[in-house]
Amino acid sequence: MFIPCDRGGDSAGPDFKGFTLLMPAVSVGNVGQLAIDLVISTLDMTKVGYFYTDCLVPMVGNNPYATAEENSTELSINAEVYSLPSKKLVVLQIRSPFIKNKYRLFCETLLSWVKSSKCARVVLLSSSHAYQRDDEQLLGTPLRYLLTPDLEKAVGGRMKELNWKEMEKVAAYPGISDTDKVLHIPGGGITKLLFTESCSEGIQMAVLLKFCSEGDNIPDALVLVNYLNEWLQLIKSEVNPSSQWKIPSSWRLLFGNGLPPALF
């Protein structure tokens, strides 16, 4: 599934042992994907490979993180991998939706790669429909987290120090029985499936998500990436950390602006 970039003929590819894998769920408002864009752009991460999969809608475009005319014509595809060894961070960016009935196959293949690459943990950035919150979820912050049991042992105390709020379970049969509680993430795409599979397979995974609505979701992405930064400290936290994130050049095209000439 993972194909390394050809860099000097090193067929072995990069070593991700002990790295944190950061990735988005294709979810409401594309909030996770936008947040990943900010991380890659700000940290100036190097593309080290891509995912070859038939589970995603095929797409190709020019470099979304172009900084000059020279690198603006580089091609990007639907699932690419970026790395920053100094922070032991590897990032998978997903840029297209899943093909129908391919969710489970993708999750199985991804988790198999996580195991074989010996990544220490996975952090999934996601979102959920704000209008489908229950009464308890309407209170306080719109941010939530989930930890698999294996990661809970390692970082559960840190989440309590940060005063973070865990994603609530909701009634399986609202209005009929409130005793049966289930994890419900409407609009979250593969979030629930990937999390439950990670729990079953003993993979350390954290889900960070924000309740939101479709629209201009750049503010939601900034809130989510700042939430991530509270924990992982990817950039220095200051009075206004949002001002430190570097906006990718591709974001100029989000709302129908003209296509860049370099694309043709």
Side-chain angles (χ1 to χ4, degrees), residues 144-170:
R144 295 291 189 276
Y145 79 93
L146 286 166
L147 299 176
T148 59
D150 287 79
L151 188 56
E152 174 76 38
K153 298 172 186 175
V155 303
R158 177 58 179 155
M159 301 313 185
K160 289 180 173 60
E161 289 176 6
L162 292 170
N163 201 28
W164 281 11
K165 196 167 186 179
E166 189 172 4
M167 183 70 172
E168 302 89 347
K169 291 186 176 181
V170 300

Side-chain angles (χ1 to χ4, degrees), residues 27-38 126-130 210-225 247 251 254-255:
S27 51
V28 57
N30 305 110
V31 175
Q33 293 155 293
L34 292 170
I36 292 291
D37 267 353
L38 290 168
S126 185
S127 51
S128 184
H129 284 301
K210 185 180 186 298
F211 295 116
C212 68
S213 302
E214 292 279 3
D216 178 359
N217 295 104
I218 290 176
D220 296 305
L222 286 165
V223 170
L224 185 60
V225 80
I247 303 299
W251 283 21
L254 285 177
F255 299 106

Side-chain angles (χ1 to χ4, degrees), residues 29 44 58 62 73 76-77 91 231:
D44 194 22
N62 63 324
T73 55
S76 293
I77 60 171
V91 171
W231 173 28

Side-chain angles (χ1 to χ4, degrees), residues 101-174:
N101 298 326
K102 294 279 190 175
Y103 293 88
R104 185 169 293 278
L105 176 60
F106 180 85
C107 291
E108 291 173 354
T109 310
L110 174 69
L111 294 180
S112 176
W113 177 68
V114 169
K115 289 180 177 179
S116 65
S117 62
K118 295 181 170 59
C119 288
R121 60 189 176 188
V122 182
V123 180
L124 182 68
L125 301 185
S126 185
S127 51
S128 184
H129 284 301
Y131 75 89
Q132 288 193 251
R133 289 174 289 177
D134 68 3
D135 291 346
E136 187 179 0
Q137 292 171 339
L138 287 167
L139 301 174
T141 175
L143 296 161
R144 295 291 189 276
Y145 79 93
L146 286 166
L147 299 176
T148 59
D150 287 79
L151 188 56
E152 174 76 38
K153 298 172 186 175
V155 303
R158 177 58 179 155
M159 301 313 185
K160 289 180 173 60
E161 289 176 6
L162 292 170
N163 201 28
W164 281 11
K165 196 167 186 179
E166 189 172 4
M167 183 70 172
E168 302 89 347
K169 291 186 176 181
V170 300
Y173 307 102

Side-chain angles (χ1 to χ4, degrees), residues 166-185:
E166 189 172 4
M167 183 70 172
E168 302 89 347
K169 291 186 176 181
V170 300
Y173 307 102
I176 300 174
S177 172
D178 292 329
T179 56
D180 295 327
K181 300 277 188 174
V182 295
L183 182 63
H184 186 50
I185 309 176

